[in-house]
Amino acid sequence: MIIDIFGAGAIGLLFYSKLVSHSSVATIHLWTRTSEQATLINQQGITAQTSTTDYNVEAQTYIPSKLHQACAIYDMTDNENKPKADYILVTVKQKDITADFVSYLKQRADHHTRIICLQNGVRTDVWWDSPWQVYAAITTEGAKRISPNEVSHTGIGKTVVGRVTNISSTRVVDQSKAIDKEEQLWIQLLLNELQKAGLDIVLSNNIDKDIYRKLVINAVINPLTAIWRIMNGELLVSKQRLAVMRQLYDEVIEVYEANGIEVSSLWWEDILAVCQATSNNTSSMLADVLQSKTTEIQWINGSIIKMGQDYHISTPTNDCVYHLIEAMNRQEDH
Ligand code: PAF
């Protein structure tokens, strides 16, 4: 079995470290943005930190065998003879899924390759045209990239995977229930391998709902932590902060209901629980802002605004955070 991971950020490094340390049957390739990162990982290995129950940090370094090499995406032509991947995990952010990126990724795929996309926000899987089977995955694993070859597993989470076949810009159609037996066997082989590597990962029978649940969590936590420059847990410390969170939340729910998206009354409590469980985490949007990187605001609150516009629902709080975050990035092209 050949598993390729595209993207060596926090989640890509976490999945790679788990797989290289546990898998005896799979060949794992990690595709990085730079050749420096690939060389570092191949020569010095990958270090994964985990917190033990008594709050100590344990670090283990795995030197990948010749089988499990890291390679730079842009050096792909040197790797033309490698057999194609059976599964490709796409762990880069939405903003990095460009036409260029997809053209490199396509060189690693043929008709049997399953592509699993792990992004925040509403999908851009519109890139992934036939003939591939495309899956969306939502993960609550907490991971932080410490350096190009070090990752910290900051919170044990769960990953759900579901098949996506019919995409428009803001709507996802869940096809998990429609997967036939043969397809289920194919995807289950990958899930077994990831489970053996210690990840809690399952096939969802309602990935649509999982995606929109995660989207509302990100739409509330990410922009506010980035604007106020606080850890996730600090959102809970005052009623003024909670009131702004609630305003964002209520708008998202109104937009979902107008769009006919199934909502759950538990989602507000879920957001508070995520803030608590990840209280010492820097949200991914705050991390991007601190590093002057383009954020995922367009795919998170931007997609809520767009879905609202489709049904003439105004979203003033989402509009406000959207513009505040967009205006932070001085390098943005116009
Ligand atoms: O984007 C993130 O940072 C994470 O999805 C979450 C759940 C908000 C926790 O930090």
Side-chain angles (χ1 to χ4, degrees):
M1 178 192 299
I2 301 177
I3 304 173
D4 279 26
I5 301 175
F6 271 73
I11 291 291
L13 289 178
L14 178 72
F15 277 56
Y16 181 70
S17 67
K18 297 261 178 207
L19 282 167
V20 293
S21 56
H22 288 87
S23 185
S24 51
V25 297
T27 298
I28 326 291
H29 300 131
L30 176 68
W31 294 96
T32 62
R33 201 165 48 79
T34 64
S35 43
E36 288 77 19
Q37 186 181 15
T39 309
L40 188 72
I41 292 171
N42 291 334
Q43 288 179 352
Q44 294 182 15
I46 171 138
T47 300
Q49 293 183 358
T50 40
S51 300
T52 57
T53 38
D54 48 3
Y55 300 103
N56 283 325
V57 175
E58 255 174 23
Q60 300 233 3
T61 301
Y62 308 100
I63 310 276
S65 70
K66 274 259 170 293
L67 269 184
H68 308 309
Q69 290 294 290
C71 323
I73 293 180
Y74 302 102
D75 292 339
M76 192 158 287
T77 38
D78 303 345
N79 290 280
E80 263 165 6
N81 299 329
K82 273 193 180 24
K84 303 286 184 202
D86 299 308
Y87 303 95
I88 296 181
L89 304 179
V90 184
T91 66
V92 298
K93 292 195 176 148
Q94 301 256 18
K95 65 184 168 63
D96 298 316
I97 305 180
T98 58
D100 239 21
F101 173 86
V102 174
S103 74
Y104 281 107
L105 183 143
K106 280 183 175 174
Q107 295 177 42
R108 294 290 308 137
D110 69 14
H111 65 279
H112 81 286
T113 306
R114 270 71 184 166
I115 298 179
I116 298 94
C117 300
L118 288 111
Q119 280 74 44
N120 276 335
V122 174
R123 312 277 111 178
T124 50
D125 312 276
V126 71
W127 284 110
W128 317 115
D129 47 9
S130 57
W132 299 301
Q133 309 283 356
V134 179
Y135 288 81
I138 294 293
T139 189
T140 52
E141 292 292 354
K144 189 170 176 188
R145 187 178 120 142
I146 314 268
S147 77
N149 69 337
E150 283 173 290
V151 64
S152 169
H153 195 181
T154 51
I156 304 215
K158 188 177 173 119
T159 307
V160 288
V161 178
R163 169 94 157 269
V164 178
T165 57
N166 187 0
I167 312 289
S168 67
S169 59
T170 51
R171 288 304 313 268
V172 177
V173 176
D174 169 31
Q175 293 287 326
S176 311
K177 291 175 199 125
I179 297 178
D180 60 31
K181 278 241 153 57
E182 198 189 326
E183 185 53 34
Q184 266 194 40
L185 288 177
W186 262 106
I187 195 68
Q188 199 54 52
L189 284 178
L190 172 72
L191 301 188
N192 292 347
E193 213 45 38
L194 291 164
Q195 285 161 1
K196 268 195 270 161
L199 291 159
D200 183 358
I201 183 163
V202 291
L203 192 61
S204 166
N205 59 10
N206 201 343
I207 193 73
D208 196 6
K209 198 167 176 189
D210 294 320
I211 287 173
Y212 289 112
R213 174 182 172 275
K214 182 74 192 298
L215 181 61
V216 66
I217 293 174
N218 289 128
V220 173
I221 297 179
N222 293 31
L224 296 182
T225 48
I227 292 165
W228 293 330
R229 301 200 175 209
I230 55 175
M231 301 289 168
N232 294 351
E234 288 175 62
L235 284 172
L236 305 177
V237 302
S238 79
K239 53 176 196 300
Q240 287 84 349
R241 287 181 184 170
L242 284 164
V244 183
M245 289 166 70
R246 185 72 204 204
Q247 248 169 282
L248 277 172
Y249 174 81
D250 287 342
E251 277 181 24
V252 176
I253 296 301
E254 194 187 346
V255 166
Y256 280 1
E257 282 172 344
N259 277 264
I261 292 165
E262 192 188 337
V263 299
S264 160
S265 56
L266 300 174
W267 285 351
W268 172 249
E269 294 303 323
D270 287 355
I271 293 173
L272 304 183
V274 169
C275 291
Q276 198 71 59
T278 62
S279 58
N280 291 323
N281 278 24
T282 302
S283 75
S284 54
M285 196 169 287
L286 174 57
D288 283 340
V289 164
L290 292 175
Q291 293 169 64
S292 306
K293 285 188 180 164
T294 306
T295 69
E296 294 184 295
I297 194 79
Q298 189 186 328
W299 293 274
I300 299 177
N301 303 81
S303 63
I304 302 294
I305 295 167
K306 164 87 179 51
M307 287 158 78
Q309 282 163 353
D310 291 346
Y311 287 87
H312 308 289
I313 308 280
S314 67
T315 51
T317 322
N318 279 276
D319 289 357
C320 178
V321 295
Y322 177 87
H323 291 298
L324 285 172
I325 297 284
E326 281 282 276
M328 278 182 181
N329 194 344
R330 282 174 294 159
Q331 289 148 16
E332 194 69 54
D333 290 333
H334 294 285

